[in-house]
Amino acid sequence: MRPRVEATHGLVTTRTLDLTVAGHRVATPCAVIGEGADALLLPALSSISAREEMLPLARELSATYRCLVPDWPGFGAHPRARLPLNPANLHAFLDALLAAAPGPYALGVAAGHATPYLVAAARRHPGAFARLVLVAPTWRGPLPTAMGPERAAWFGRIRRAVEMPLLGEALYRINISPPIIGRMMRAHVYAEPAHVTPAVIAAKHRITRQSRGRFGTAAFVTGGLDPATSREEFLASFGDGLPPVRVLRPEKAPRRSGAEMDALIGTGRVSALTVPGALSAHEEFFRDVAAAIRAL
């Protein structure tokens, strides 16, 4: 990741990587902040995901690490790339990013659903990361988590409906209105309802209103971005061939997601610390998460 003149401690600059993924040009804006050893911070995948959610954590780490924070294709507070959204293309995206900004990275941090992609990239690129930190790691989208695999046939239908012209945009707008975003955040994204302020909801709503925003949401929510099909497959991706991995397990993670985190911790293949928060602990309690990272 060069040249180093792009960032100084405390100053956030933007670097755009012109990547090619599956034959598609994917202009990828990245925040760059800090001085020291290189670190890659991957935001979660969700309807309200953007690199901005990682900036408070990156600022906390900026005295020690030079942080690169990209947006995922199909997500972020900017018009979205026209890239078919599926696990293969997200894996290919990280390959292209690591070719353009190879590090090596003293630290790789993944939030939520970015976890299986970072772990797989670390396995494909030995030596790219000295250690990994996974904050509230998940591998299964909201509908498969809530409804179970027996309703899997419905997930594709829902995704196709949201991706349709006109009807899909209407369905999307209904389901990402500010009241619904606020209810979702209070239910499982943030641990403290008082932190879900009108300003936070407005910022998240602006993310959802970006051009082609419904495609990333439809893919993520229906499980279309789940790179594993079972807990066993997800857990099998850990172990030999990876750098040291630490899981930061939020105290108030939702029951089903928390059970998956506990299953990973129970394998003994990762170390673990408990942090405050729910699914967005890296954003809501960024100081605690930074302290846990500095304690490595």
Side-chain angles (χ1 to χ4, degrees), residues 44 46 48 53-54 111-112 135-136 185 188-191 204 250 252-254 261 275-286 289:
S46 79
I48 54 176
E53 74 189 43
M54 277 289 188
V135 189
M185 292 191 69
H188 58 259
V189 178
Y190 277 18
K204 299 300 185 183
K252 295 185 179 180
M261 299 174 205
V275 294
L279 289 183
S280 196
H282 61 286
E283 181 178 17
E284 186 183 8
F285 291 99
F286 59 89
V289 170

Side-chain angles (χ1 to χ4, degrees), residues 215-228:
F215 295 98
T217 290
F220 167 70
V221 169
T222 60
L225 299 182
D226 297 355

Side-chain angles (χ1 to χ4, degrees), residues 187-208:
H188 58 259
V189 178
Y190 277 18
E192 300 298 331
H195 293 170
V196 186
T197 64
V200 168
I201 294 172
K204 299 300 185 183
H205 189 243
R206 282 194 294 273
I207 292 170
T208 68

Side-chain angles (χ1 to χ4, degrees), residues 120-143:
R123 192 173 293 282
R124 290 194 306 274
H125 300 272
F129 300 94
R131 60 182 64 244
L132 304 180
V133 175
L134 313 176
V135 189
T138 62
W139 61 271
R140 189 171 53 188
L143 284 183

Side-chain angles (χ1 to χ4, degrees), residues 87-119:
N89 282 351
L90 292 194
H91 286 306
F93 165 76
L94 279 188
D95 288 341
L97 187 147
L98 290 173
Y105 296 93
L107 178 68
V109 180
H113 222 64
T115 287
Y117 291 103
L118 177 62
V119 170

